[in-house]
């Protein structure tokens, strides 16, 4: 999963720019963490911190961590080791550094992080990071503060709005968390433990945030949640509203041109949501729908609560209303007990469905999850071999999908200037990077682009006409 550096903090509360403290927030893991990192940068901005270019010149360093696989956690501890040295170096130069570990590793390991790395000042979980300003003050007096509560108060309503300049710097496509947590308890997954029970933000709070983002120049919103299609936030009358009406309301916000949502569970793809794919022009024809395995026995053991045929049925129904839809998925290979034949069934499913792009992972035993205790843990070389075979097939499909785009006209939202003068870069509805010759004034616009060529990771296009 990509690592993102959130380079933004105050421009607001710095009376004397050069003496203002600086903050650096580094995000690991999923899109939910990218969103949380931005909100922590907003909190730091509210406390007077300006953006630091890197950890070296940061007075406040926040690592927003991931716990989904073992490697994700190991990476954080090695990063913390380097930051301890940096902290000591800065201290010798008379500069104080506050080190915060936030996110899912913080939630899962809490005080254990302080024992393994005493240079850490604050450990804060994903449900309590709105308290960061108080925690920083506490840590100033007494380093080693841990807050891994699941507080009753609504975190989102306590976060400051992002400053318009910060929004502008983050680009024309933004994430908005609409739902958090998970009640599904897939047997391999830590999310129900780190992010807690499923909860949805109220519709009006989400729409206000989207309106604010749109006024600051955002044109595309990805509605995000660990189980986003289980969204059931309250409307003004307190009645629960599903994801489809929320998408429709978001599409009506002036300035919003395009919407996406992720990540979904196949069982929550209800009729209304499927119909929305045929009905809502602003909803991109792209769906990330993790299936994990192509074997019914493995799916049952994973507690996914659906069969392979149910997945294919959802895909067929979405394709019936939106024939140009492209799909992506997540897969786990080497789940406990997975036989060769069961792995072959995953390859068969991939061949049957056809994906535009996907992620495949080796199963990683996570402490405290049911699958970690199961018999039949698969040997590492077998996992590696299966991962290689699956990734090769997925890559073949990705390239075939990209090749099939050549000659098509795609709606591209231009996001930033390209590397060469006169070039701009945007994204197709299918998340592909598209380069074209064009003026920077078109950034933030959706244009119709004829795809004329491709390279390994991007498409080359010619702007045909503006469509927005
Ligand atoms: N091991 C490997 N992959 C995992 N995922 C979640 N938990 C694990 C695990 N224990 C994958 C799933 C999920 C994606 C976000 O990460 O495929 O959809
Ligand atoms: Fe990682 Fe899952 Fe937490 Fe996202 S929610 S940061 S993927 S553990």
């Amino acid at each position: 999963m990509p690592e993102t550096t959130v380079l933004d903090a105050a421009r607001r509360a710095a009376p004397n720019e050069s003496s203002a403290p600086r903050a650096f927030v580094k995000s690991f893991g999923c899109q939910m963490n990218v969103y949380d990192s931005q909100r922590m940068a907003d909190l730091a901005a509210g406390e007077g911190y300006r953006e630091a270019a890197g950890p070296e010149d940061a007075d406040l360093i926040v690592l927003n961590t991931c716990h989904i696989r073992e490697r994700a956690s190991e990476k954080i501890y090695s990063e913390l080791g380097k930051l301890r040295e940096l902290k000591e170096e800065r201290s010798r130069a008379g500069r104080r550094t506050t080190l915060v570990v936030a996110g899912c590793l913080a939630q899962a390991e809490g005080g254990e992080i302080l024992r393994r790395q005493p240079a850490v000042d604050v450990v804060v979980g994903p449900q309590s990071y709105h308290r960061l300003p108080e925690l920083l003050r506490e840590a100033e007096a007494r380093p080693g503060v841990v807050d891994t509560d699941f507080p009753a108060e609504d975190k989102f309503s306590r976060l400051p709005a992002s400053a318009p300049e910060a929004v502008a710097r983050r680009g024309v496509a933004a994430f908005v968390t609409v739902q958090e947590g998970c009640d599904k308890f897939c047997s391999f997954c830590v999310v129900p433990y780190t992010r807690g029970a499923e909860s949805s933000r109220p519709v009006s709070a989400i729409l206000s945030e989207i309106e604010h983002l749109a006024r600051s120049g955002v044109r595309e919103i990805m509605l995000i949640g660990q189980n986003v299609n289980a969204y059931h936030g309250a409307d003004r009358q307190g009645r629960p509203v599903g994801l489809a009406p929320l998408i429709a309301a978001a599409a009506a916000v002036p300035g919003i041109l395009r919407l996406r949502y992720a990540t979904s569970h196949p069982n929550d793809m209800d009729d209304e949501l499927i119909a929305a794919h045929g009905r809502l022009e602003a909803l991109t024809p792209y769906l990330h729908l993790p299936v994990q395995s192509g074997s019914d026995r493995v799916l049952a053991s994973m507690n996914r609560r659906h069969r392979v045929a149910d997945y294919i049925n959802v895909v067929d129904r979405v394709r019936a209303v939106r024939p140009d839809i492209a799909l992506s998925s997540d897969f786990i290979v080497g789940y406990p007990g997975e036989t060769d034949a069961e792995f072959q069934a995953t390859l068969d499913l991939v061949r049957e469905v056809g994906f535009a792009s996907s992620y495949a992972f080796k199963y990683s035993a996570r402490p405290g999850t049911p699958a970690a205790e199961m018999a039949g843990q698969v040997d590492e070389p077998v996992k590696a071999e299966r991962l290689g075979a699956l990734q090769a097939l997925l890559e073949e499909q990705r390239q075939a999908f990209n090749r099939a785009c050549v000659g098509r006209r795609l709606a591209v939202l231009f996001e930033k200037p390209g590397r060469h003068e006169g070039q701009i870069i945007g994204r197709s509805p299918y998340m592909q990077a598209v380069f074209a010759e064009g003026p920077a004034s078109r950034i933030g616009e959706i244009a119709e682009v004829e795809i004329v060529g491709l390279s390994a990771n991007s498409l080359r296009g010619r702007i045909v006409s503006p469509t927005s």
Side-chain angles (χ1 to χ4, degrees), residues 1 68-69 188 290 292 330-332 361-364 366:
M1 239 170 258
I68 195 97
R69 284 170 289 275
F188 52 80
Q292 315 297 355
D330 291 343
F331 299 90
I332 296 177
F361 309 101
K362 281 190 262 186
Y363 170 71
S364 168
R366 307 312 287 131

Side-chain angles (χ1 to χ4, degrees), residues 28-30 33 65-68 104 190-191 194-195 226:
F28 297 82
C30 65
N33 263 21
T65 63
C66 177
H67 193 53
I68 195 97
C104 295
V190 289
V191 167
T194 59
R195 291 269 174 176
Q226 267 98 23

Side-chain angles (χ1 to χ4, degrees), residues 21-24 51-61 86 90 95:
R22 290 179 181 264
F24 181 78
E51 165 194 321
E56 301 76 21
D57 64 343
D59 305 280
L60 170 65
I61 300 172
L86 177 67
R90 280 175 51 94
R95 288 145 79 200

Side-chain angles (χ1 to χ4, degrees), residues 132-315:
L132 192 59
E134 293 155 60
L135 299 173
L136 290 175
R137 277 187 278 281
E138 256 179 69
E140 211 169 305
R142 190 178 46 83
V145 178
V146 178
D147 185 348
T148 50
D149 277 1
F150 286 98
E153 74 252 19
D154 173 23
K155 165 181 77 195
F156 295 101
S157 67
R158 303 192 177 223
L159 294 169
S162 308
E165 317 84 78
V167 176
R169 248 175 304 141
R170 290 169 189 163
V172 298
F175 296 132
V176 173
T177 294
V178 303
Q179 176 280 342
E180 266 194 296
C182 183
D183 295 340
K184 293 208 162 52
F185 291 91
C186 298
S187 42
F188 52 80
C189 189
V190 289
V191 167
Y193 313 96
T194 59
R195 291 269 174 176
E198 217 171 281
S199 82
S200 296
R201 295 177 68 189
V203 175
S204 59
I206 294 166
L207 292 178
S208 308
E209 188 170 327
I210 294 176
E211 284 160 9
H212 172 66
L213 292 170
R215 280 195 298 273
S216 310
V218 168
R219 298 290 166 258
E220 176 182 307
I221 300 282
M222 190 186 295
L223 303 172
I224 57 173
Q226 267 98 23
N227 249 298
V228 73
N229 58 343
Y231 176 82
H232 58 276
D235 68 7
R236 286 194 189 283
Q237 285 73 43
R239 291 175 304 218
V241 167
L243 186 62
L246 179 71
I247 295 170
V253 171
I256 295 304
L257 305 177
R258 195 142 95 171
L259 286 147
R260 307 177 183 277
Y261 63 92
T263 285
S264 297
H265 190 287
N267 290 0
D268 291 317
M269 291 302 299
D270 61 29
D271 292 344
E272 208 184 351
L273 185 55
I274 291 176
H277 279 278
R279 200 163 49 79
L280 293 174
E281 191 54 37
L283 185 55
T284 52
Y286 188 72
L287 177 62
H288 182 61
L289 195 60
V291 62
Q292 315 297 355
S293 168
S295 149
D296 282 338
R297 193 205 62 83
V298 173
L299 287 176
S301 173
M302 286 176 166
N303 195 30
R304 292 288 290 175
R305 301 175 212 216
H306 67 80
R307 299 168 66 96
V308 175
D310 303 317
Y311 183 84
I312 292 173
N313 179 260
V314 170
V315 169

Side-chain angles (χ1 to χ4, degrees), residues 31-188:
Q31 295 149 343
M32 309 281 296
N33 263 21
V34 173
Y35 177 87
D36 291 341
S37 294
Q38 293 176 343
R39 304 314 301 266
M40 284 190 272
D42 294 338
L43 284 163
E47 294 296 294
Y49 286 89
R50 294 185 61 229
E51 165 194 321
E56 301 76 21
D57 64 343
D59 305 280
L60 170 65
I61 300 172
V62 181
L63 293 190
N64 196 16
T65 63
C66 177
H67 193 53
I68 195 97
R69 284 170 289 275
E70 197 179 347
R71 256 191 63 193
S73 307
E74 280 167 2
K75 215 154 112 186
I76 311 292
Y77 280 109
S78 93
E79 182 95 10
L80 282 175
K82 285 187 233 150
L83 290 175
R84 187 193 75 177
E85 284 172 29
L86 177 67
K87 186 172 172 170
E88 285 168 357
E89 219 172 278
R90 280 175 51 94
S91 166
R92 284 193 290 275
R95 288 145 79 200
R96 187 193 162 110
T97 315
T98 306
L99 189 51
V100 177
V101 178
C104 295
L105 178 75
Q107 188 64 44
E109 299 200 347
E112 176 61 22
I113 294 177
L114 298 175
R115 276 183 288 282
R116 280 185 67 173
Q117 187 43 271
V120 172
D121 297 279
V122 176
V123 174
V124 60
Q127 296 308 338
S128 49
Y129 70 79
H130 56 291
R131 296 175 177 165
L132 192 59
E134 293 155 60
L135 299 173
L136 290 175
R137 277 187 278 281
E138 256 179 69
E140 211 169 305
R142 190 178 46 83
V145 178
V146 178
D147 185 348
T148 50
D149 277 1
F150 286 98
E153 74 252 19
D154 173 23
K155 165 181 77 195
F156 295 101
S157 67
R158 303 192 177 223
L159 294 169
S162 308
E165 317 84 78
V167 176
R169 248 175 304 141
R170 290 169 189 163
V172 298
F175 296 132
V176 173
T177 294
V178 303
Q179 176 280 342
E180 266 194 296
C182 183
D183 295 340
K184 293 208 162 52
F185 291 91
C186 298
S187 42
F188 52 80

